[in-house]
Amino acid sequence: MTALPSMLRASADAPQVLVRCRELTRPALAEAVGRLHPWVGEMAAYSFGWCEVGGAPAVGSGGKGVRQALALLGATAAGAPGAAGVPAAVAVELVHAFSLLHDDIMDGDPDRRGRPTVWKAYGTGPAVLAGDALFALAVETLAAAPAGSQAVRVLSVALSDLVRGQADDLLFATRPWTGPERVRPREYRAMAEHKTGALLGCSAALGALLGGAEPAVVAALDLAGRHLGVAFQIVDDVLGIWGDPSVTGKPVHGDLRERKKTYPVLAALDSPASEARRLAALLDCGDAPEEAAALIEAVGGRSAALAEARRHVDAVEAALAGVPLEGRAVEELRTLLDYLLRRDV
């Protein structure tokens, strides 16, 4: 598969960066969750992979912790100690968990990270309650931090965008594959920036803000995170059709079987080639994902998706290069971004 250009500028190991950031954030995150109602706190801990249903300790991954890492690296990129970004890291991790709880309910997903989702394990109503509690706790955490009122405003903008992106994503499923009402690639890019990029940008921006950065630095990191979100989502779309199941954990052609309106599909349908009409018919019936994947590639859907991801990678690089940032932190940030974007593409 055609590779994205590497942004790797340092020998730092991205998984080690993620582990270090999780270890720095975990005590404060656990303390915050411990302030919740015990039953709600158990559901929150379950969502993080810390316990089983009933509260017994669990051994497993609660996710990479990308957003908390971006928050801590945002603080250090601004020249502050990583600890200055911990309240931001806690807040964005709580918001991310909140969004996943609600997403799983809206999408009807029964499993996440190899075990039942919160709504399947505890029920829909309790899962909604737990998500609401995590959201409220995130706002409380930021409000208590230095520059708290400004930080809450930054988070509020990101949350509004996240909701907008989620709404568009749900509405896309109801729109036709062809005709004037079809979803265009530009609409998808806007959805991905809002649904995925807003919180990534907010994570880095909040860390920088709590680290005392100038407004231009905060804005640049927010912009970089938003472009990262679009690139990340498009790469995820490519892997959802052509990725190696042993790497992605998803079945081959899984997104086509689920008839998802992903970027490669939309780019292919936007093609004037006659094969695009054949592709629309295949997507309508959903019975031939292998043939659909071949048609998407034949009319340029995969190459268009990777080209679009590369444009957003370049935009990330431009945003980082446009403001003064602490060197070592930027090296680690670039390493982390490279790791996230080059997942077997």
Side-chain angles (χ1 to χ4, degrees):
M1 193 177 292
T2 304
L4 289 172
S6 176
M7 295 191 299
L8 193 60
R9 301 294 178 83
S11 60
D13 183 77
Q16 291 180 0
V17 173
L18 289 168
V19 168
R20 189 186 78 235
C21 292
R22 287 198 303 269
E23 289 178 348
L24 184 58
T25 304
R26 174 66 184 269
L29 182 60
E31 188 277 330
V33 171
R35 299 200 302 270
L36 296 172
H37 181 285
W39 182 46
V40 175
E42 180 190 314
M43 289 186 280
Y46 178 88
S47 74
F48 287 121
W50 300 344
C51 74
E52 304 294 350
V53 175
V59 178
S61 171
K64 294 183 178 68
V66 171
R67 289 152 192 82
Q68 57 188 278
L70 287 173
L72 298 183
L73 292 177
T76 55
V86 166
V90 170
V92 296
E93 194 67 13
L94 291 169
V95 168
H96 180 52
F98 141 74
S99 70
L100 294 182
L101 262 65
H102 286 197
D103 280 358
D104 288 341
I105 294 168
M106 286 184 281
D107 296 340
D109 290 335
D111 299 295
R112 179 173 291 279
R113 302 185 187 119
R115 62 181 189 160
T117 50
V118 175
W119 74 270
K120 288 294 287 186
Y122 290 89
T124 302
V128 171
L129 179 65
D132 292 345
L134 290 169
F135 169 72
L137 188 59
V139 174
E140 177 189 331
T141 299
L142 267 189
S149 60
Q150 188 177 353
V152 169
R153 285 195 295 273
V154 171
L155 180 65
S156 297
V157 171
L159 286 169
S160 294
D161 282 348
L162 189 155
V163 171
R164 178 182 293 272
Q166 182 66 44
D168 284 339
D169 195 28
L170 290 173
L171 288 172
F172 285 174
T174 69
R175 291 168 62 178
W177 294 108
T178 59
E181 296 302 315
R182 73 184 186 273
V183 180
R184 304 299 182 110
R186 58 178 171 74
E187 294 179 278
Y188 183 93
R189 289 192 295 269
M191 180 278 293
E193 179 192 334
H194 291 144
K195 182 179 177 182
T196 305
L199 190 56
L200 292 176
C202 174
S203 299
L206 283 175
L209 176 63
L210 298 190
E214 295 294 324
V217 172
V218 175
L221 288 172
D222 186 20
L223 180 62
R226 286 173 178 267
H227 283 295
L228 167 63
V230 179
F232 182 90
Q233 188 60 62
I234 292 174
V235 168
D236 209 49
D237 290 347
V238 172
L239 294 175
I241 299 176
W242 296 283
D244 181 350
S246 67
V247 176
T248 66
K250 301 177 181 179
V252 66
H253 303 146
D255 282 356
L256 292 178
R257 295 178 195 278
E258 296 178 19
R259 302 169 71 183
K260 291 184 177 179
K261 291 184 173 73
T262 60
Y263 196 92
V265 172
L266 299 177
L269 290 170
D270 228 28
S271 166
S274 60
E275 290 89 343
R277 291 191 293 274
R278 170 63 179 157
L279 173 60
L282 289 173
L283 293 168
D284 271 333
C285 68
D287 293 335
E290 295 85 0
E291 185 179 354
L295 278 174
I296 292 167
E297 185 162 13
V299 300
R302 180 162 74 167
S303 60
L306 289 172
E308 185 65 25
R310 282 193 291 272
R311 282 192 286 273
H312 287 279
V313 169
D314 291 343
V316 172
E317 184 71 12
L320 294 178
V323 290
L325 299 170
E326 198 280 328
R328 176 61 181 171
V330 175
E331 290 173 355
E332 291 191 330
L333 186 59
R334 286 192 170 111
T335 300
L336 178 60
L337 302 185
D338 187 84
Y339 169 76
L340 294 174
L341 293 172
R342 293 174 60 80
R343 298 163 291 154
D344 195 33
V345 297

